[in-house]
Protein backbone atom coordinates (compact mmCIF):
# COMPACT_ATOMS: atom_id res chain seq x y z
CA UNK A 1 0.00 0.00 0.00
CA UNK A 2 1.22 3.48 -0.85
CA UNK A 3 -0.32 6.60 0.64
CA UNK A 4 0.77 9.66 -1.25
CA UNK A 5 0.65 13.21 0.04
CA UNK A 6 -2.75 14.25 1.26
CA UNK A 7 -4.04 17.54 -0.20
CA UNK A 8 -3.76 19.02 3.30
CA UNK A 9 -0.14 18.00 3.76
CA UNK A 10 2.24 20.96 4.24
CA UNK A 11 3.86 22.51 1.21
CA UNK A 12 5.18 23.92 -1.03
CA UNK A 13 8.66 23.08 0.23
CA UNK A 14 7.63 19.58 1.20
CA UNK A 15 6.49 17.19 -1.46
CA UNK A 16 5.17 15.05 1.30
CA UNK A 17 5.21 11.72 2.91
CA UNK A 18 4.99 8.31 1.35
CA UNK A 19 3.91 5.44 3.59
CA UNK A 20 4.65 1.99 2.26
CA UNK A 21 3.38 -1.37 3.50
CA UNK A 22 4.60 -4.72 2.21
CA UNK A 23 3.32 -8.27 2.62
CA UNK A 24 6.76 -9.65 3.43
CA UNK A 25 8.58 -6.74 5.13
CA UNK A 26 7.98 -4.07 7.78
CA UNK A 27 6.41 -0.78 6.71
CA UNK A 28 8.55 2.17 5.62
CA UNK A 29 8.04 5.91 5.47
CA UNK A 30 9.74 8.26 3.03
CA UNK A 31 9.79 11.95 3.91
CA UNK A 32 10.70 14.31 1.08
CA UNK A 33 11.94 17.88 1.26
CA UNK A 34 13.84 20.35 -0.90
CA UNK A 35 16.88 18.59 -2.27
CA UNK A 36 16.73 15.74 0.22
CA UNK A 37 14.67 12.87 1.50
CA UNK A 38 14.71 10.36 4.33
CA UNK A 39 13.78 6.70 4.19
CA UNK A 40 12.60 5.72 7.66
CA UNK A 41 12.44 2.15 8.89
CA UNK A 42 12.28 2.51 12.67
CA UNK A 43 8.88 0.98 13.63
CA UNK A 44 8.05 3.69 16.19
CA UNK A 45 8.98 6.48 13.77
CA UNK A 46 6.96 4.93 10.94
CA UNK A 47 3.98 4.50 13.29
CA UNK A 48 4.20 8.20 14.28
CA UNK A 49 4.18 9.22 10.62
CA UNK A 50 1.20 6.93 9.93
CA UNK A 51 -0.69 8.50 12.82
CA UNK A 52 0.19 12.01 11.67
CA UNK A 53 -1.01 11.21 8.14
CA UNK A 54 -4.28 9.79 9.47
CA UNK A 55 -4.87 12.82 11.74
CA UNK A 56 -4.23 15.30 8.93
CA UNK A 57 -6.56 13.37 6.64
CA UNK A 58 -9.26 13.19 9.29
CA UNK A 59 -9.15 16.92 9.99
CA UNK A 60 -8.98 18.16 6.39
CA UNK A 61 -12.04 19.25 4.48
CA UNK A 62 -12.91 17.38 1.30
CA UNK A 63 -11.42 19.10 -1.80
CA UNK A 64 -14.71 20.73 -2.92
CA UNK A 65 -15.36 22.14 0.55
CA UNK A 66 -11.75 23.37 0.76
CA UNK A 67 -12.17 25.17 -2.56
CA UNK A 68 -15.45 26.72 -1.40
CA UNK A 69 -13.82 27.93 1.82
CA UNK A 70 -10.84 29.42 -0.03
CA UNK A 71 -13.16 31.17 -2.50
CA UNK A 72 -15.27 32.55 0.35
CA UNK A 73 -12.25 33.90 2.23
CA UNK A 74 -10.84 35.38 -0.99
CA UNK A 75 -14.16 37.06 -1.71
CA UNK A 76 -14.31 38.51 1.82
CA UNK A 77 -10.72 39.71 1.50
CA UNK A 78 -11.40 41.34 -1.87
CA UNK A 79 -14.21 43.39 -0.32
CA UNK A 80 -12.32 44.56 2.76
CA UNK A 81 -11.06 48.11 2.95
CA UNK A 82 -7.43 48.06 1.87
CA UNK A 83 -4.96 50.65 3.24
Amino acid sequence: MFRFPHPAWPGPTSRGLKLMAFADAPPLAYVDGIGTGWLLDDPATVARHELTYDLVGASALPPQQSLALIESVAEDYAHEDQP
Side-chain angles (χ1 to χ4, degrees), residues 14-82:
S14 173
R15 289 192 299 199
L17 168 69
K18 292 179 180 67
L19 298 171
M20 299 167 274
F22 308 96
D24 58 348
L28 299 172
Y30 181 79
V31 179
D32 194 14
I34 294 178
T36 189
W38 299 272
L39 183 62
L40 308 169
D41 62 357
D42 174 64
T45 302
V46 172
R48 269 197 320 275
H49 281 77
E50 289 173 334
L51 177 60
T52 299
Y53 181 92
D54 291 341
L55 291 172
V56 167
S59 65
L61 291 172
Q64 285 303 108
Q65 288 179 339
S66 292
L67 179 59
L69 176 61
I70 291 167
E71 289 173 340
S72 173
V73 170
E75 183 71 21
D76 291 346
Y77 179 78
H79 291 100
E80 286 183 6
D81 291 332
Q82 302 298 318

